[in-house]
């Protein structure tokens, strides 16, 4: 005999939970939220496993308030403090993820770089000037020679009068390039690694940005870019290009191997995860230190204060 509580749970799941989850899945797909999170992670240096702990902690806290507590509805007394506390929890979660995501690279860069002359196989940190290896890479929007480039295309999608950019295409080159520190040189294989262009503003500083509906005579040939990417013409599209230019300063964390087909030692993804930074080693170290410290402070303060507010307003404590 089916218990009454089992019937209630089944009805709740079918009537309330399934439609909500289905709607969230539709929105997730329509706005390409997974791709957007991946893009933010690339820019912040955060991988999903770096964010897993803070996100679980934040979700658990909100679940603790929502289930046994009394969350004030919009317009009710306490709704504004609860919203502020919720925002602080979110900010604290992001700060903690940024600190965790950049901590390992900061520890490695802080130990100093290796001279490229006589490099042994294994983990290494090298810094020098980036140069073209053999074949020059041409960035699709600017048409400029590059060591490395990425191209991201978004299109405006929305519901009613609210729109948000949704990523519809992303590509990056994995061509090898050379880094020379004066004592020697290495060949860097960026495939499988992370490239962080930190010589510019974090969420901006793109080398080229073009709207799909631009009528400028000096705009790049978007038709050729669209054809290569398999995209239809859309005036709501935005094309953003980032690139590493020849002769720029580059710092590389990776693993040295010997490849008989390369003229220099090969640095690639392996025992030490490959990360390519734009900038000299000392500048990279300072930036990483700032992100780790700022993320840790924001994470601890934001999460602690936000948790205290939502727990108090929600009636849990």
């Amino acid at each position: 005999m089916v218990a009454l509580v089992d019937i209630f749970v089944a009805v709740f799941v079918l009537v309330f939970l399934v439609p909500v989850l289905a709607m969230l899945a539709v929105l997730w797909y329509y706005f390409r939220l997974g791709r957007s999170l991946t893009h933010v992670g690339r820019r912040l240096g955060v991988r999903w496993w770096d964010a897993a702990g803070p996100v679980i902690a934040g979700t658990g806290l909100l679940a603790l308030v929502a289930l046994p507590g009394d969350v004030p509805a919009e317009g009710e007394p306490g709704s504004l403090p609860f919203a502020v506390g919720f925002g602080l929890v979110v900010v604290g979660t992001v700060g903690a993820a940024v600190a965790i995501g950049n901590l390992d690279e900061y520890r490695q860069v802080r130990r100093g770089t290796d001279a490229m002359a006589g490099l042994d196989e294994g983990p290494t940190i090298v810094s020098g000037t980036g140069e073209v290896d053999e074949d020059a890479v041409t960035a699709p929007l600017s048409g400029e020679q590059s060591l490395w480039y990425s191209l991201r295309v978004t299109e405006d999608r929305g519901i009613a009068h609210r729109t948000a950019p949704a990523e519809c295409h992303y590509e990056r080159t994995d061509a090898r390039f050379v880094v020379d520190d004066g004592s020697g040189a290495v060949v860097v294989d960026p495939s499988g690694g992370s490239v962080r262009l930190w010589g510019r503003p974090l969420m901006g500083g793109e080398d080229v940005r073009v709207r799909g509906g631009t009528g400028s005579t000096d705009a790049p040939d978007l038709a050729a870019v669209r054809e290569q990417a398999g995209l239809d013409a859309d005036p709501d599209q935005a094309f953003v290009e980032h690139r590493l230019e020849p002769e720029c300063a580059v710092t590389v964390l990776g693993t040295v191997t010997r490849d008989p087909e390369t003229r220099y030692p090969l640095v690639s993804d392996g025992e030490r995860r490959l990360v390519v930074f734009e900038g000299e080693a000392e500048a990279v170290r300072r930036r990483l230190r700032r992100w780790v410290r700022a993320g840790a402070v924001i994470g601890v303060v934001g999460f602690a204060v936000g948790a205290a507010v939502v727990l108090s307003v929600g009636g849990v404590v």
Side-chain angles (χ1 to χ4, degrees), residues 149-299:
Y149 75 81
S150 69
L151 172 66
R152 184 172 186 254
V153 185
T154 61
E155 59 185 23
D156 294 336
R157 295 187 177 184
I159 299 175
H161 298 291
R162 298 183 179 181
T163 61
E167 181 182 299
C168 54
H169 178 76
Y170 178 81
E171 67 178 63
R172 50 172 277 181
T173 178
D174 285 326
R176 296 176 175 181
F177 58 88
V178 172
V179 178
D180 191 328
D181 70 349
S183 70
V186 297
V187 174
V188 178
D189 180 1
S191 59
S194 171
V195 179
R196 303 186 195 171
L197 307 186
W198 277 18
R200 59 200 72 195
L202 181 67
M203 300 308 293
E206 60 271 356
D207 293 293
V208 180
R209 172 183 285 272
V210 180
R211 293 291 302 182
T214 181
S216 175
T217 57
D218 60 351
D221 185 4
L222 295 184
V225 176
R226 286 191 177 105
E227 181 179 0
Q228 181 178 354
L231 298 172
D232 296 327
D234 188 341
D236 291 328
Q237 290 172 340
F239 298 74
V240 175
E241 175 186 285
H242 290 92
R243 66 180 183 272
L244 276 174
E245 298 181 351
E247 306 304 321
C248 72
V250 179
T251 300
V252 183
L253 284 70
T255 303
V256 178
T257 57
R258 296 292 176 178
D259 187 338
E261 297 184 359
T262 61
R263 47 183 173 156
Y264 303 121
L266 179 66
V267 180
S268 59
D269 194 38
E271 184 178 347
R272 172 171 290 168
R273 196 179 78 91
L274 181 72
V275 185
V276 179
F277 293 97
E278 180 184 28
E280 298 177 352
E282 181 60 25
V284 171
R285 185 186 65 81
R286 290 196 302 267
R287 294 190 192 107
L288 286 171
R289 182 179 60 191
R290 286 198 298 266
W291 278 108
V292 170
R293 291 181 176 179
V297 171
I298 293 173

Side-chain angles (χ1 to χ4, degrees), residues 50-72:
D50 300 320
V55 169
I56 291 174
T59 304
L61 172 66
L62 297 176
L64 177 63
V65 176
L67 294 178
D70 183 16
V71 178

Side-chain angles (χ1 to χ4, degrees), residues 46-54 100-101 273:
V46 178
R47 296 143 294 189
W48 70 264
W49 54 87
D50 300 320
I100 294 172
R273 196 179 78 91

Side-chain angles (χ1 to χ4, degrees), residues 10-230:
V11 170
F12 174 79
V13 170
L14 291 175
V15 176
F16 297 100
L17 192 57
V18 170
V20 170
L21 292 178
M23 180 60 68
L24 291 176
V26 170
L27 293 175
W28 183 276
Y29 173 79
Y30 180 70
F31 287 105
R32 302 290 196 269
L33 296 181
R35 293 187 178 187
S36 296
L37 289 175
T38 301
H39 174 67
V40 172
R42 284 194 297 261
R43 300 294 284 168
L44 294 175
V46 178
R47 296 143 294 189
W48 70 264
W49 54 87
D50 300 320
V55 169
I56 291 174
T59 304
L61 172 66
L62 297 176
L64 177 63
V65 176
L67 294 178
D70 183 16
V71 178
E74 184 177 356
E76 292 183 354
S79 59
L80 181 58
F82 186 87
V84 172
F86 176 82
L88 288 174
V89 170
V90 173
V91 171
T93 299
V94 174
V98 170
I100 294 172
N102 291 280
L103 180 59
D104 186 47
E105 282 80 7
Y106 171 61
R107 287 174 173 171
Q108 295 175 35
V109 173
R110 187 177 59 180
R111 297 170 184 168
T113 59
D114 302 320
M116 295 181 190
L119 274 178
D120 294 326
E121 293 190 0
T124 189
I125 304 171
V126 294
S127 184
T129 302
E131 303 172 356
V132 175
D133 183 17
E134 295 178 353
D135 298 326
V137 175
T138 302
L141 286 183
S142 62
E144 297 289 338
Q145 188 180 84
S146 307
L147 303 178
W148 177 95
Y149 75 81
S150 69
L151 172 66
R152 184 172 186 254
V153 185
T154 61
E155 59 185 23
D156 294 336
R157 295 187 177 184
I159 299 175
H161 298 291
R162 298 183 179 181
T163 61
E167 181 182 299
C168 54
H169 178 76
Y170 178 81
E171 67 178 63
R172 50 172 277 181
T173 178
D174 285 326
R176 296 176 175 181
F177 58 88
V178 172
V179 178
D180 191 328
D181 70 349
S183 70
V186 297
V187 174
V188 178
D189 180 1
S191 59
S194 171
V195 179
R196 303 186 195 171
L197 307 186
W198 277 18
R200 59 200 72 195
L202 181 67
M203 300 308 293
E206 60 271 356
D207 293 293
V208 180
R209 172 183 285 272
V210 180
R211 293 291 302 182
T214 181
S216 175
T217 57
D218 60 351
D221 185 4
L222 295 184
V225 176
R226 286 191 177 105
E227 181 179 0
Q228 181 178 354

